[in-house]
Amino acid sequence: MDSATSDAFPVRLDGLRFRSEPAALYRELRREFGAVAPVLLDADIPAWLVLGYRELHQVTGDAVLFSRDSGLWNQWERVPDDWPLLPMIGRGRSSVLHTVGERHRTRVAVIGGALEAVDPFELRAHAERLADELIDAVCADGTADLVAQYAALLPVRVLATLYGFADEQGPGLVAALSDMVDGRGDALAGQLHVAACMARLVADRAARPADDVVSRMLAAGRTAPGPTLSHEEIAKDLIVMLTAGQQPTAGWIGNSLRLMLTDDRFAASLLGGRRSVAEAMNEVLWEDTPARTVAGRWASRDARLGGRAVRAGDLLLLGIQAANHDPQVRTHGTALTGGNSAHFAFGHGEHRCPFPAQEIAEVVARTAIEVVLDRLPDLDLATPAASLTRRPSPWLSSLTRLPVRFTPTAPRG
């Protein structure tokens, strides 16, 4: 990468402005660099941030030129072994995220088949039951933090039911996944905890199959085309699924509730309406995308992208939120996005989020929001909206907390 260009505008991906005022920063980056901007990762590792909608479509649509094979990276010699971003970038073809070609398609098919077998009615029933349990724990208090006590906990409890984890493992998994995604000092320890839990679950299901996602993946992995998928490969893919299913979904719930509590356009939902719930959720996927930045793609050869000279082995970070804000393809930013789902929140191309996983995330998030609206009357923010802060993650845009107040009610359980 052109170091002179990076030195001219050394924007750090973990900087405060990416969390506190990303839209303004994206505008500045576009003015300075156009659709592709140089940024610095932890330890001053350079990368390209793809800001343009069309450019992101190009990168995610060309799996040959912009590969998912992280082994191509020209910066590996500079990456320390304890680099806190390793859990989210990965080294080598360790999971479905970094596998290419026919092997990638095989692993995606195994994942998709296991998730397609999830009954949507049972899924919603599980989500409602678990959401009610979490609300029961706070409804008599009159105050709650809807991030720490609700949004952060519900998705992993639902996924634990689908995968076969014991429910009591949920809080530990949430903490470990959060450490991984935040990319701070505990990131590698969080990765080890999740890996150990998943390895034990896979070994148990290999010995004692059940009617769950893990057992279905193990069975499909034995009969899939090509070499049998190993237990290690299955476990790594399940970690990807758990991370992608828990963290962005929790952010989707929290960001949607924040929008509905602070934006008059969605006030009807707080009074018992339902039409605006789906609108608010879709608005968040455009304007406040939980998966803000995704790592990534690696150039397989020298190329031009958005007017920039990208070198073979350069890392391109997918600016999901930035591309959704691209003024060249968006109407006025304050307009309701309605049913327009042409956002990048679930990715694009060969490595996009599998459709069954998207459906599961939407059911869990929508159920979570509707249960809150049903159970907590006259819900309101307990702190000024301007005081709400974002997590330090370079990848995820979600709240650290969402304090609310409401009239106390009796638990249903």
Side-chain angles (χ1 to χ4, degrees):
M1 182 173 297
D2 184 349
S3 60
T5 300
S6 296
D7 291 342
F9 201 96
V11 178
R12 301 191 61 85
L13 195 67
D14 58 357
L16 177 61
R17 292 195 65 204
F18 270 109
R19 303 197 304 272
S20 61
E21 47 183 20
L25 184 54
Y26 295 146
R27 287 193 296 270
E28 291 178 19
L29 288 172
R30 283 194 181 91
R31 284 196 298 267
E32 185 77 17
F33 298 106
V36 181
V39 295
L40 295 176
L41 298 171
D42 186 83
D44 290 340
I45 304 294
W48 297 108
L49 178 63
V50 183
L51 302 162
Y53 187 98
R54 294 182 179 87
E55 288 74 17
L56 191 57
H57 196 278
Q58 179 182 348
V59 169
T60 53
D62 189 341
V64 175
L65 178 55
F66 301 108
S67 174
R68 232 352 188 137
D69 182 2
S70 61
L72 297 172
W73 200 10
N74 54 26
Q75 297 294 317
W76 276 123
E77 64 182 18
R78 298 184 53 197
V79 175
D81 290 338
D82 60 350
W83 200 46
L85 301 188
L86 272 177
M88 298 303 294
I89 289 184
R91 189 190 297 269
R93 299 182 178 184
S94 57
S95 73
V96 66
L97 287 182
H98 304 103
T99 308
V100 298
E102 190 60 36
R103 193 62 169 173
H104 171 76
R105 288 185 284 274
T106 295
R107 293 171 78 162
V108 168
V110 168
I111 292 170
L115 295 179
E116 281 178 356
V118 174
D119 185 289
F121 299 103
E122 291 184 7
L123 172 64
R124 182 171 177 86
H126 285 315
E128 286 182 345
R129 175 178 59 83
L130 295 169
D132 274 325
E133 289 180 7
L134 292 172
I135 295 299
D136 279 346
V138 300
C139 64
D141 298 336
T143 61
D145 178 354
L146 289 183
V147 167
Q149 295 175 288
Y150 188 68
L153 299 178
L154 180 60
V156 78
R157 293 189 67 186
V158 176
L159 293 175
T161 300
L162 299 181
Y163 290 8
F165 281 113
D167 191 53
E168 58 268 22
Q169 291 180 273
L173 288 169
V174 169
L177 291 167
S178 296
D179 287 338
M180 286 171 53
V181 174
D182 284 347
R184 313 287 274 208
D186 294 328
L188 295 175
Q191 182 184 37
L192 289 174
H193 177 82
V194 174
C197 291
M198 196 64 76
R200 287 194 295 269
L201 179 61
V202 168
D204 180 72
R205 286 299 181 266
R208 291 174 291 277
D211 183 17
D212 56 34
V213 169
V214 176
S215 299
R216 289 193 289 271
M217 286 184 63
L218 285 166
R222 291 191 290 269
T223 60
T228 298
L229 289 179
S230 68
H231 289 185
E232 181 181 7
E233 288 175 306
I234 296 287
K236 288 182 181 298
D237 290 353
L238 284 161
I239 291 171
V240 170
M241 295 160 60
L242 183 64
T243 306
Q246 155 63 23
Q247 294 290 299
T249 306
W252 196 6
I253 296 167
N255 292 359
S256 297
L257 288 170
R258 181 205 64 82
L259 178 64
M260 297 174 73
L261 288 166
T262 58
D263 193 317
D264 290 341
R265 294 174 299 162
F266 301 102
S269 287
L270 298 176
L271 300 175
R274 283 293 173 266
R275 182 182 62 85
S276 292
V277 173
E279 291 180 344
M281 291 173 63
N282 198 56
E283 183 91 347
V284 163
L285 294 182
W286 276 103
E287 303 293 345
D288 196 10
T289 323
R292 179 179 65 199
T293 307
V294 175
R297 301 290 188 272
W298 287 265
S300 60
R301 58 175 173 79
D302 291 354
R304 299 286 298 181
L305 180 70
R308 317 301 299 181
V310 177
R311 303 303 180 191
D314 280 358
L315 169 60
L316 296 107
L317 303 173
L318 311 183
I320 304 297
Q321 190 177 86
N324 287 346
H325 285 209
D326 188 339
Q328 294 191 34
V329 297
R330 282 294 308 278
T331 57
H332 193 272
T334 60
L336 279 169
T337 53
N340 185 350
S341 59
H343 51 70
F344 277 103
F346 295 110
H348 170 260
E350 187 175 312
H351 287 269
R352 71 172 292 137
C353 179
F355 186 69
Q358 297 178 38
E359 290 187 312
I360 290 171
E362 183 172 0
V363 169
V364 173
R366 180 157 185 163
T367 301
I369 295 167
E370 291 181 349
V371 169
V372 166
L373 302 185
D374 287 339
R375 294 288 310 276
L376 303 181
D378 52 44
L379 188 69
D380 196 11
L381 275 179
T383 189
S387 69
L388 298 175
T389 58
R390 303 281 171 160
R391 283 170 55 179
S393 170
W395 318 116
L396 199 71
S397 177
S398 62
L399 299 169
T400 56
R401 53 196 296 268
L402 184 61
V404 295
R405 55 175 175 263
F406 47 87
T407 300
T409 61
R412 289 182 179 177

